[in-house]
Amino acid sequence: MSISTQKTEGATGGDTQPVASKDTTPRSGRGTAQRYALLGIGVLLLLVCLALIPSFRSMRLVTTMVNGQSVILLLALVATIVLRTGDFDLSISQTMVGSAAVVAVLSGHGVSPVLAIALALLLGLAVGALNALLVVVIGVDSFVTTLGSFTAMAGFCYLVTGSRIVAGVPDFFVNFSRSTVAGLPLVTIYAWVLVAVLWFVYQRTPLGRYTLFIGGNRDAARLAGLRVSAIRFGAYLVSGVLASFVGIVFAGYFGAVDPSVGGQYMLQPFAAVYLGATALAVGRFNAVGTVVALYLLTIGITGLQLLGAQTWVTNVFYGLALMIAVTAAKLAGRKTRAGLA
């Protein structure tokens, strides 16, 4: 099978999604190079950092980078779920913080951890259901809708926390995120488990292919008999619940919740997701490509900081990476369509 890209009707900004088509020619060397170009760039960047920055050769630094990006990796993986159907869910980072705030505040008032977790997950389910209702049922633009829910959840976070940082998260949640297995904290293990689960769903199940077809051409998917609305609705529900799970992990990993940090976690996941769509499964949002892209960005940012760059470099780096990734995905889509014409 080869992948062609078509414009999604109703998708924000005319983004393209891939549609499977029969392959009439053998895979070219150019296609293979395109698939592994990002991985090659990452390896090259790592080698440059190892050569120029002695402290980069420390295994402790590598471990710190991997563990420190686990929350962002979790969010990026969650973002792929809705993106594969041709929609956006910009609310995931604020849903994460809102759920973390619910867990921290309720636990501080003596609510049992199990009940606090259940209520946090219900919050994510409610956000996902509201997004799905407006986008899938009513037909409101997904970018605008989820940006609105992001803003509303930001206000909710300030309401729940009383506009202050909530510290002293109970040990139950700290252990839930920081306990180590084979030297790795659970937050990192959760991220890699989600990578494996999404890889399996995307690559090995009919549902994974259905999301791809829906994102590529909803009308064609409907004519093929797919339950397009149900799958899109379900994607939003899963996205909301998983974002809340990330919030529970977030509360335990940091041991405190700042209601103002939602915006800081909005850009990085999408930069990794779009950049990841240019690798391995080119033109498709995928789990493994997202991992490769995130660690490439992490290596670049860490290297710049160790060379003395200021903290604002992080936002500039992620912003430029996002623009480059979206542009590369667009150009790749045009080349694919031209080749099939």
Side-chain angles (χ1 to χ4, degrees), residues 68-93:
Q69 295 299 309
S70 295
V71 170
I72 295 176
L73 176 56
L74 282 166
L75 277 180
L77 294 168
V78 173
T80 64
I81 296 171
V82 171
L83 283 171
R84 278 179 70 95
T85 66
D87 293 314
F88 286 94
D89 189 356
L90 300 177
S91 66
I92 54 175
S93 63

Side-chain angles (χ1 to χ4, degrees), residues 145-172:
T145 296
T146 57
L147 183 60
S149 58
F150 172 93
T151 307
M153 283 300 298
F156 174 81
C157 291
Y158 283 106
L159 172 66
V160 170
T161 61
S163 301
R164 61 184 178 82
I165 297 176
V166 180
V169 173
D171 291 341
F172 175 88

Side-chain angles (χ1 to χ4, degrees), residues 57-271:
R57 302 164 195 165
S58 167
M59 182 57 65
R60 182 176 181 180
L61 176 62
V62 174
T63 303
T64 300
M65 287 194 298
V66 171
N67 294 337
Q69 295 299 309
S70 295
V71 170
I72 295 176
L73 176 56
L74 282 166
L75 277 180
L77 294 168
V78 173
T80 64
I81 296 171
V82 171
L83 283 171
R84 278 179 70 95
T85 66
D87 293 314
F88 286 94
D89 189 356
L90 300 177
S91 66
I92 54 175
S93 63
Q94 203 64 63
T95 302
M96 173 192 75
V97 179
S99 300
V102 167
V103 164
V105 171
L106 290 180
S107 299
H109 286 82
V111 175
S112 70
V114 174
L115 180 57
I117 290 173
L119 292 175
L121 294 176
L122 282 175
L123 173 64
L125 184 66
V127 174
L130 178 60
N131 288 336
L133 175 65
L134 294 175
V135 174
V136 180
V137 178
I138 299 178
V140 182
D141 182 88
S142 63
F143 188 94
V144 175
T145 296
T146 57
L147 183 60
S149 58
F150 172 93
T151 307
M153 283 300 298
F156 174 81
C157 291
Y158 283 106
L159 172 66
V160 170
T161 61
S163 301
R164 61 184 178 82
I165 297 176
V166 180
V169 173
D171 291 341
F172 175 88
F173 296 101
V174 174
N175 294 333
F176 183 74
S177 300
R178 295 188 193 174
S179 295
T180 59
V181 176
L184 293 174
L186 286 176
V187 61
T188 300
I189 293 175
Y190 297 148
W192 280 92
V193 168
L194 187 56
V195 170
V197 170
L198 290 182
W199 174 86
F200 179 80
V201 172
Y202 292 162
Q203 301 297 126
R204 294 291 184 264
T205 69
L207 179 61
R209 293 189 290 272
Y210 295 164
T211 59
L212 198 63
F213 298 155
I214 291 169
N217 192 317
R218 289 175 192 158
D219 290 336
R222 289 190 182 94
L223 291 174
L226 299 184
R227 300 175 60 190
V228 173
S229 295
I231 293 173
R232 291 174 65 205
F233 202 104
Y236 272 108
L237 295 182
V238 173
S239 178
V241 172
L242 284 179
S244 286
F245 172 78
V246 180
I248 297 166
V249 174
F250 176 91
Y253 184 70
F254 291 101
V257 179
D258 183 346
S260 67
V261 299
Q264 299 176 23
Y265 286 88
M266 185 180 187
L267 177 62
Q268 298 98 317
F270 286 95

Side-chain angles (χ1 to χ4, degrees), residues 27-34:
R27 179 171 294 172
S28 65
R30 179 182 298 179
T32 301
Q34 188 177 17

